[in-house]
Amino acid sequence: MNIGNRHFTYFNQSQFAQFSGDFNPIHLDQIEARKTIAGQSIVHGVHSFLWMLECLIQREERVFTNYDIRFTNQLNLEQEVSAFWDRESKKLKLLGKNGLIYISVKCEDSTNCGVIADKISPVTLSNTITQPIDHDLSAISVGDTFENLCGGNKELATSLFPYLTEALGGDVVYEIALLSSIVGMIVPGLHSLFFGLKITFKYGADNQIVTVISKQELFRLIELGYVGKNLDAKIEAFFRPKSVTIPSCEDLSSQLPTTLSMTGKKVLVIGGSRGLGAWVAKLVSIAGGDVTITFNTGKDDAELVAQDIRSYC
């Protein structure tokens, strides 16, 4: 059953970042995001999940106390998506027009709306960092704990998710959103990619702590345990590859065979502001060619490449 359709805009992204405290550039900075494995800005996974719950509560007027969420594909801005609910299997799915599954959610242990909201503990966070921590996987050990968490503006819960806030309480919705900032801002931090999440609601408690449960060096995968005030969670996230820094023409020249010559050749490089295009542009210029680069976005990056080429030549 289709329970909702929408697309996420940059404005939506910005609002959720203010709410959750997750200001990771892969969500908000189009120039920086294009340098990542995603290639462009992507929607916060937890934002998509909360919107799906918002749609579900409007239809079912019930909530669940356990959720098993898989973020299976990246969702780009402005992509049309639909939330589907299978009442028999108690599964939620976020689908694209081509049937691609972006998020799948298994829901368990239903309860009446308001039951959770009646027993919540207030969530307050004073740490409002706006720059994600640049952790390295090798520096993270099993058993490490993080208590100085970051958050955003809790008051936005009502305007962003009115039905969900009424059913769960603003503090619970806010605490779910904070799981996004744990991954995007704390650990893995800057070079993170959300993979999976399990949430279990509980009666109010006093602590909020994140613990590293396991890590897999080969797959760059880390599992975190979150013990919170109104919910506990298990989080799976990847340390995604860091952006590659392109060497200067001066450094590259020592690696290029002296016999290679492109003197008299004119070369047009489409997309020469970053990645392979920037490498090619620099190598052609080192070999004596006359190179012209184009770019779609990233004017500053393109100018840096051009400046390096001019300085060398």
Side-chain angles (χ1 to χ4, degrees), residues 40-103:
Q40 57 185 295
S41 297
I42 61 176
V43 179
H44 297 83
V46 175
H47 187 187
S48 306
F49 166 66
L50 285 172
W51 172 71
M52 294 166 72
L53 286 191
E54 177 82 356
C55 295
L56 179 61
I57 283 177
Q58 291 181 64
R59 290 296 188 98
E60 295 292 294
E61 296 185 354
R62 294 180 67 83
V63 294
F64 296 84
T65 58
N66 292 276
Y67 298 93
D68 187 349
I69 306 127
R70 300 283 101 182
F71 302 107
T72 53
N73 285 286
Q74 73 177 47
L75 176 59
N76 303 327
L77 294 182
E78 304 294 348
Q79 266 185 268
E80 296 290 338
V81 290
S82 301
F84 283 86
W85 169 242
D86 186 326
R87 186 178 288 118
E88 183 175 346
S89 65
K90 295 183 176 60
K91 287 185 177 180
L92 273 170
K93 290 183 179 179
L94 187 66
L95 303 179
K97 285 187 174 181
N98 57 358
L100 183 66
I101 300 174
Y102 293 104
I103 303 176

Side-chain angles (χ1 to χ4, degrees), residues 3 19 51 70 79 103 108 115 118 156 158 168 178 205 231 268 271 275 278 284 291 298 304 306 309:
I3 59 174
F19 177 48
W51 172 71
R70 300 283 101 182
Q79 266 185 268
I103 303 176
E108 295 180 339
V115 171
D118 289 340
L156 290 173
T158 302
L168 300 179
L178 294 181
L231 60 91
L268 173 65
V284 168
V291 63
L304 287 175
I309 290 174

Side-chain angles (χ1 to χ4, degrees), residues 133-240:
I133 299 172
D134 187 0
H135 278 300
D136 190 272
L137 179 59
S138 62
I140 300 297
S141 301
V142 173
D144 285 352
T145 59
F146 303 85
E147 297 184 51
N148 191 22
L149 308 182
C150 64
N153 182 1
K154 182 171 64 175
E155 302 306 317
L156 290 173
T158 302
S159 60
L160 294 179
F161 309 102
Y163 290 94
L164 200 55
T165 300
E166 182 178 356
L168 300 179
D171 286 277
V172 176
V173 178
Y174 178 56
E175 193 164 12
I176 295 172
L178 294 181
L179 300 176
S180 184
S181 67
I182 289 171
V183 171
M185 302 294 286
I186 307 297
V187 57
L190 179 60
H191 303 285
S192 61
L193 199 62
F194 223 134
F195 176 61
L197 175 62
K198 292 182 180 180
I199 296 174
T200 301
F201 293 137
K202 65 180 183 181
Y203 295 146
D206 294 329
N207 53 338
Q208 282 181 281
I209 188 170
V210 176
T211 304
V212 179
I213 298 174
S214 67
K215 72 172 186 176
Q216 299 181 28
E217 297 276 359
L218 180 61
F219 298 106
R220 301 181 62 79
L221 179 67
I222 189 170
E223 183 179 6
L224 307 171
Y226 170 74
V227 178
K229 295 199 171 186
N230 303 290
L231 60 91
D232 293 338
K234 286 188 176 179
I235 299 169
E236 292 177 293
F238 289 106
F239 279 77
R240 54 182 169 81

